[in-house]
Amino acid sequence: MTEDTIWAFVADAPRQASDIGGRMLPPRWGYLNQLWQPLWDTLNIATLGTLIGVIIAIPVAFLAAGNTTPSRHFVRPMALLIIVTSRSINSLIWALLLVAIIGPGLLAGIVAIGLRSIGFVAKLLYEAIEEIDENQVEAVRATGASRVQVIDYAIIPQILPAFWGISVFRWDINIRESTILGLVGAGGLGLQLQSSLSTLAWNQVTVIFLVIVATVVVSEWVSAKVRRAVL
Amino acid sequence: MSRDVLNPLTHINISNGKKTVLELKSLSKTYKTGDRALTDISFSVPAGQVVGLIGPSGAGKSSLIRCINRLVEPSSGSIYLGETELTKLSGRALRQARRRIGMIFQEYALVERLTVMENVLSGRLGYVSGWRSFLRRYPQTDIDQAFGLLERVGLGDHYNKRADELSGGQRQRVGIARALEQNPELLLADEPTASLDPKTSRQIMRLIQGVCREMNLPAIINIHDVVLAQNFADRIIGLRAGQVVFDGPPSALSHKALTCIYGAEDWDQVQQSSESQNDEFLFSNAKVLELT
Amino acid sequence: MTGAITSLRTWKRPPVLLKDPRWRWTILLGSAIYLVLAISSVEVNWFRVYEGLERGWKFIQGFLSPDFNSRWRDIQAGLVESLTMTLTSTAAGVLISVPIGIGAARNLAPAPVYMFCRSLITLSRSFQEIIIAILLVAMFGFGPFAGFLTLTFASIGFLSKLLAEDIEGCDSAQIEAIRATGAGWWQVVNYAVQSQVMPRLIGLSLYRLDINFRESSVIGIVGAGGVGATLNTAIDRYEYDSAGAILIIIIAIVLVVEYSSSYIRRWAQ
């Protein structure tokens, strides 16, 4: 680690810090007006991405859960592989790839958030499915219910609160992550951050940081509120 | 048939020549782990008969009950429900057979986050189509029947409560209503009173006995409380280590029979509450199979 | 009320979440309007996407037949940097978090210390790694040192908060018992708190190690060193087989770290 660092820069850091700090203040409040559209985009990236991720994660979770998977030796490992791949790769890397593949813009951001969310939601959901009370499943099965009816009557009611909690939790995380996806060209606030950084407009960067923090705080509050309501 | 040799009395005194609903022929179950749960079980149950299945923990009571509706796969032997051979069924045919068998569970096994009504209506799942069950749009006759059953078990007003808002006894009543909603030909109960206090236990057993009388419904009740079994069953089957070691009327359950089922114990204390019995005389009426 | 309803003998499932129909409809309608607006605001250049499908296919091929060789030196250097950053920052993070975590526990720290530590935690947690990395790269220059500082800073917020919560959740009877022996503050921490919190601290540190590795593969994108920079280059040059190789290595390491850390955690408890 040490050999690649230019120590002159490190020694210089306090001066740099005070320099940047000086340039960051006072914030250029007028810039705020240019941020409403990116903020709306960021919100959409997070929300639509979460939606896509959750919709795909549901079947994956059922295929991955030991007690609902149709085959333990083939389908389950496949589902687990999807979960691991999605989880191990950060959404910024997903965005990097998708911008290279389908071009810059909101769509790349949405798909990146969606792909990253699949693994997260599916993992927590399949753990919830594996923890359900099997007695209730057995009882519904004993009435002569079909496979789908067993899922509908015995499994879904048991995992529904966990499902809402996980989804809202992921939405909260996604708001956080979608604020910076623009750094690699995937739209939203990060795009403004990137352009302000490249023009060394530090007083605009301050405004963006403050908007990001405010958004994160609000989304955290909303998610805590919703989670308390469903649990 | 061997069972006739084993116990002629059952068929003469208890079944009274009624139609046989359930017949088990040399049923055995060995689990994958190698545990032998059931060995060569054969008996039949006529319409309207309430059978108390007793035996120590691990004797195979639960496995036996679950083999009948194939929640547990029997290893060998056959089970007839009316004319249907249950052991040969699979897929749709198995589900259609299961709906003819109502089941009541130890921990109630209600779907706790659904309403009482949904739990009762889930007894119709084997009959209604997938979209009807998904949208909770059951045929009016099913709903009428569900209201009637809730009325019968004394929960007429609770239909829109969530199942986890009910007390243990109330939950078990919903469990009974769910089983009856299937219009079953046979009722299975797996320790229906194990999680209940003594008074509620008696109420629940009385309710099961009552509905079985009204509907001429046979039942197999797996129960560890010998006194309850004696009070509410028409016939007792004793299981020990996966084998039938007693089969006779409750009155024939002598000290010797209990010792054979459960092993040595001071049975006077257990039986204090039941009517005094002439053990020697009654014992001669029921055949007790000694284990080697 | 029930009498009237039972006599009608109809039944509809009562609503599960929102009991009030007005609320239900407002939220349903609101969500529908939002979805329409949100989707319509996404401008998609379908031609570009169509063109990209081919590249996407190439990437999948690259992922399936990864090329570990041609960029191996870069990958190796990036990995070593990432792993170094992960280990050093986790270690530094744990060392700094312990005093801050104790300071942020209401049952141990005096009010001013508590306030100070809590605000430090809030500051660290409200910015994500990438943003901190941007600032630190601007101050300390490109390279893994900025990455190390970033991950350390982020670890402090994470570990101190959870540690403080653990300490607050400690069995107060044990603390009182030690206090009753006439022990000083330091002895209380040493005897009553440490024994209760230690297994959790080990677990949290391993969990953070896991997170730090994942993050270390990302912050390279903004110049803070590690395998992320290598990945960024590979994708920029459309070298999808090398990118695939890097991603596979990342996934493998994440899996190894996750499984071994969950194993050690179980063993520690």
Side-chain angles (χ1 to χ4, degrees):
Chain A
M1 177 173 86
T2 47
E3 59 202 72
D4 293 334
T5 308
I6 302 166
W7 288 102
F9 281 1
V10 176
D12 198 28
R15 211 179 55 76
Q16 286 288 337
S18 64
D19 181 38
I20 292 170
R23 286 204 245 163
M24 284 177 94
L25 295 170
R28 200 181 137 216
W29 292 113
Y31 188 58
L32 204 57
N33 281 329
Q34 289 175 51
L35 290 181
W36 298 122
Q37 178 65 32
L39 184 63
W40 167 246
D41 286 345
T42 295
L43 196 70
N44 291 340
I45 291 175
T47 311
L48 296 178
T50 311
L51 214 59
I52 292 174
V54 166
I55 288 170
I56 301 174
I58 293 169
V60 174
F62 275 98
L63 296 178
N67 48 354
T68 54
T69 183
S71 104
R72 276 178 167 276
H73 300 291
F74 181 69
V75 179
R76 183 157 195 263
M78 289 296 285
L80 290 177
L81 184 71
I82 293 175
I83 291 173
V84 165
T85 311
S86 156
R87 263 162 49 78
S88 310
I89 301 176
N90 192 294
S91 50
L92 200 64
I93 296 181
W94 278 118
L96 200 66
L97 279 172
L98 285 159
V99 167
I101 292 170
I102 60 175
L106 287 186
L107 188 66
I110 293 170
V111 178
I113 291 285
L115 286 175
R116 173 69 181 86
S117 304
I118 293 172
F120 181 92
V121 175
K123 176 167 193 273
L124 293 179
L125 197 59
Y126 95 71
E127 285 171 354
I129 294 173
E130 285 182 345
E131 276 169 21
I132 57 171
D133 175 10
E134 284 292 334
N135 287 331
Q136 301 180 27
V137 178
E138 191 182 41
V140 174
R141 215 146 58 86
T143 66
S146 68
R147 231 185 144 78
V148 178
Q149 285 173 326
V150 171
I151 290 179
D152 180 11
Y153 274 74
I155 299 179
I156 290 179
Q158 293 192 58
I159 58 166
L160 209 57
F163 169 77
W164 287 115
I166 295 164
S167 303
V168 175
F169 184 32
R170 186 63 220 182
W171 174 79
D172 178 18
I173 298 174
N174 283 343
I175 289 270
R176 231 168 231 270
E177 300 205 329
S178 60
T179 55
I180 48 151
L181 290 185
L183 286 176
V184 294
L189 284 170
L191 217 55
Q192 305 297 317
L193 183 60
Q194 175 73 345
S195 62
S196 298
L197 280 172
S198 57
T199 56
L200 298 177
W202 287 100
N203 52 359
Q204 293 181 14
V205 172
T206 317
V207 180
I208 297 171
F209 279 178
L210 290 173
V211 170
I212 289 177
V213 169
T215 316
V216 167
V217 167
V218 170
S219 79
E220 218 162 64
W221 178 79
V222 170
S223 113
K225 199 100 183 152
V226 173
R227 267 186 289 168
R228 206 166 312 139
V230 292
L231 290 179
Chain B
M1 298 265 310
S2 59
R3 64 182 151 74
D4 293 337
V5 181
L6 292 180
N7 192 357
L9 195 125
T10 316
H11 292 272
I12 299 160
N13 283 359
I14 301 172
S15 64
N16 291 329
K18 278 183 187 168
K19 195 176 117 238
T20 298
V21 176
L22 179 78
E23 181 152 21
L24 272 59
K25 288 181 182 168
S26 59
L27 185 76
S28 295
K29 168 69 188 172
T30 309
Y31 283 99
K32 274 183 200 155
T33 50
D35 298 326
R36 203 169 169 79
L38 300 170
T39 312
D40 197 25
I41 306 262
S42 300
F43 63 85
S44 63
V45 181
Q49 188 180 62
V50 176
V51 178
L53 187 63
I54 62 172
S57 310
K61 301 189 301 275
S62 197
S63 298
L64 176 56
I65 289 239
R66 282 172 168 73
C67 274
I68 294 172
N69 61 0
R70 297 262 311 274
L71 288 174
V72 167
E73 280 305 313
S75 307
S76 66
S78 49
I79 304 166
Y80 287 91
L81 179 66
E83 301 298 307
T84 322
E85 229 260 69
L86 296 179
T87 33
K88 289 222 168 70
L89 303 178
S90 64
R92 195 180 183 79
L94 173 61
R95 293 202 298 271
Q96 279 172 352
R98 271 190 187 143
R99 69 188 191 190
R100 293 161 60 194
I101 306 172
M103 185 155 175
I104 301 166
F105 293 82
Q106 176 174 357
E107 306 273 356
Y108 332 119
L110 299 181
V111 183
E112 307 217 325
R113 301 185 62 90
L114 293 183
T115 59
V116 167
M117 193 53 157
E118 280 170 291
N119 270 292
V120 177
L121 285 172
S122 70
R124 301 304 295 176
L125 284 176
Y127 295 87
V128 299
S129 63
W131 70 268
R132 263 188 189 275
S133 64
F134 179 71
L135 296 172
R136 274 39 170 191
R137 284 184 199 242
Y138 285 83
Q140 190 56 43
T141 48
D142 291 357
I143 294 171
D144 287 342
Q145 190 189 0
F147 273 119
L149 285 169
L150 281 175
E151 215 68 70
R152 173 65 184 84
V153 300
L155 292 172
D157 292 341
H158 298 277
Y159 59 95
N160 263 355
K161 273 194 183 161
R162 239 168 64 167
D164 53 8
E165 292 173 45
L166 302 180
S167 69
Q170 289 175 321
R171 286 188 206 192
Q172 196 54 290
R173 287 164 192 275
V174 177
I176 293 170
R178 170 174 65 187
L180 296 176
E181 177 80 9
Q182 288 174 239
N183 288 327
E185 294 160 44
L186 171 70
L187 200 61
L188 302 175
D190 184 21
E191 304 274 11
T193 61
S195 326
L196 301 172
D197 64 63
K199 187 180 172 213
T200 320
S201 293
R202 292 187 70 83
Q203 290 172 340
I204 290 294
M205 286 303 287
R206 192 169 293 120
L207 179 63
I208 294 175
Q209 189 191 37
V211 293
C212 285
R213 294 263 182 283
E214 286 162 32
M215 303 176 187
N216 198 26
L217 181 67
I220 300 178
I221 303 171
N222 166 358
I223 187 162
H224 64 224
D225 186 327
V226 176
V227 178
L228 270 183
Q230 281 179 305
N231 287 348
F232 293 102
D234 305 322
R235 171 185 174 190
I236 302 285
I237 292 180
L239 220 55
R240 179 177 183 177
Q243 286 177 298
V244 176
V245 293
F246 176 89
D247 188 347
S251 54
L253 206 57
S254 61
H255 287 191
K256 193 168 181 196
L258 284 169
T259 306
C260 178
I261 299 168
Y262 289 99
E265 179 54 57
D266 183 2
W267 296 110
D268 277 328
Q269 293 183 343
V270 177
Q271 287 187 312
Q272 261 168 5
S273 62
S274 58
E275 288 82 10
S276 60
Q277 305 165 346
N278 185 331
D279 287 335
E280 285 311 307
F281 170 71
L282 286 166
F283 174 63
S284 64
N285 282 344
K287 176 136 181 143
V288 177
L289 301 172
E290 299 288 348
L291 275 177
T292 46
Chain C
M1 180 193 87
T2 44
I5 291 167
T6 40
S7 68
L8 283 172
R9 297 274 157 142
T10 55
W11 175 79
K12 259 181 83 178
R13 174 167 53 165
V16 183
L17 270 183
L18 299 158
K19 298 271 188 285
D20 188 336
R22 279 168 304 179
W23 262 111
R24 209 162 54 240
W25 284 108
T26 317
I27 288 184
L28 224 63
L29 202 72
S31 320
I33 292 172
Y34 167 76
L35 270 185
V36 170
L37 283 178
I39 292 172
S40 64
S41 79
V42 179
E43 285 168 25
V44 182
N45 182 349
W46 288 110
F47 184 67
R48 178 70 180 76
V49 173
Y50 175 74
E51 271 187 337
L53 287 182
E54 193 191 340
R55 244 177 289 173
W57 178 238
K58 265 194 201 147
F59 169 72
I60 291 171
Q61 281 178 323
F63 194 74
L64 292 176
S65 58
D67 174 9
F68 290 93
N69 295 321
S70 52
R71 296 221 153 262
W72 180 243
R73 291 182 65 85
D74 292 348
I75 297 174
Q76 201 185 19
L79 278 176
V80 170
E81 261 181 25
S82 274
L83 289 172
T84 319
M85 285 189 321
T86 307
L87 289 171
T88 49
S89 64
T90 308
V94 172
L95 285 179
I96 303 173
S97 302
V98 170
I100 296 182
I102 293 173
R106 205 169 306 163
N107 50 352
L108 287 181
V113 178
Y114 173 78
M115 288 304 292
F116 174 75
C117 291
R118 280 282 162 178
S119 41
L120 212 64
I121 290 173
T122 312
L123 183 72
S124 155
R125 283 173 51 80
S126 34
F127 290 99
Q128 32 186 327
E129 285 85 345
I130 289 288
I131 290 179
I132 300 163
I134 291 171
L135 285 173
L136 290 175
V137 166
M139 291 178 202
F140 292 91
F142 291 103
F145 187 70
F148 159 75
L149 289 178
T150 304
L151 294 180
T152 307
F153 184 68
S155 303
I156 292 171
F158 177 89
L159 290 171
S160 310
K161 176 162 191 274
L162 294 175
L163 187 64
E165 275 166 12
D166 265 358
I167 295 175
E168 284 172 359
C170 263
D171 181 6
S172 55
Q174 292 186 34
I175 296 176
E176 266 174 24
I178 299 287
R179 233 178 231 149
T181 64
W185 182 86
W186 187 248
Q187 285 165 317
V188 169
V189 172
N190 193 2
Y191 281 82
V193 178
Q194 192 189 335
S195 58
Q196 292 187 56
V197 172
M198 208 53 200
R200 276 280 290 169
L201 181 64
I202 293 172
L204 288 176
S205 310
L206 289 167
Y207 185 34
R208 187 65 217 185
L209 187 79
D210 185 7
I211 298 175
N212 277 350
F213 178 75
R214 283 166 209 238
E215 293 297 333
S216 78
S217 62
V218 180
I219 52 179
I221 293 173
V222 294
V227 77
T230 324
L231 183 64
N232 200 3
T233 322
I235 292 174
D236 276 350
R237 294 183 188 158
Y238 300 111
E239 288 172 354
Y240 290 135
D241 40 4
S242 293
I246 297 171
L247 288 179
I248 288 173
I249 293 174
I250 291 177
I251 293 174
I253 296 181
V254 166
L255 270 185
V256 169
V257 172
E258 190 172 309
Y259 277 98
S260 45
S261 80
S262 78
Y263 179 79
I264 297 172
R265 262 191 306 220
R266 224 169 299 148
W267 172 79
Q269 272 151 20

